[in-house]
Amino acid sequence: MRTEEWAESVYALAQAGKTNEEGAPGLLQSAVIFDEYPDTSVYLTVAPVFVQQAVSSALAPIGRLLGYEATHSRTAGASSPERGSSPSST
C-alpha cells in the first residue's frame, strides 16, 4: 500500500485550496485518486464499496482526460485544476 503517497496527495490538494469546505476533492479528482490508490482510499458509508469502486473506475479516465492527476506534492500544487473549475481554465 502507498498510504503515505496517498495522504500527501490529498494534503497537497487541501493546502492548495482544491478541496471543498470539508477537505474533500471534487468528484472527478476523487475518482482519479481512488482509481490510483484503491487500497488506501477512504470510502463513504452511503454506498457499498464495490459501487464506489465501479463509479471511480468509470469516471477516472474522464478525469484524467480533463487533466486531473492522482499524485500531488506540496510543491507541485499549481499543476492541478483549481477547485470548481475545469483543468483547462487554470
Side-chain angles (χ1 to χ4, degrees):
M1 292 200 314
R2 303 176 319 181
T3 305
E4 187 174 330
E5 188 179 326
W6 170 83
E8 183 174 338
S9 292
V10 174
Y11 178 80
L13 286 170
Q15 288 298 306
K18 297 177 183 176
T19 59
N20 64 19
E21 298 79 32
E22 289 130 13
L27 180 63
L28 290 175
Q29 179 68 72
S30 293
V32 171
I33 292 171
F34 288 163
D35 192 55
E36 180 72 21
Y37 304 103
D39 294 336
T40 58
S41 295
V42 177
Y43 294 96
L44 305 173
T45 59
V46 296
V49 171
F50 76 91
V51 171
Q52 294 177 62
Q53 289 171 335
V55 170
S56 290
S57 294
L59 292 178
I62 296 168
R64 284 189 181 96
L65 281 173
L66 293 174
Y68 290 95
E69 299 174 351
T71 304
H72 300 272
S73 67
R74 289 178 231 168
T75 59
S79 66
S80 60
E82 292 293 324
R83 174 180 31 169
S85 66
S86 65
S88 60
S89 66
T90 57

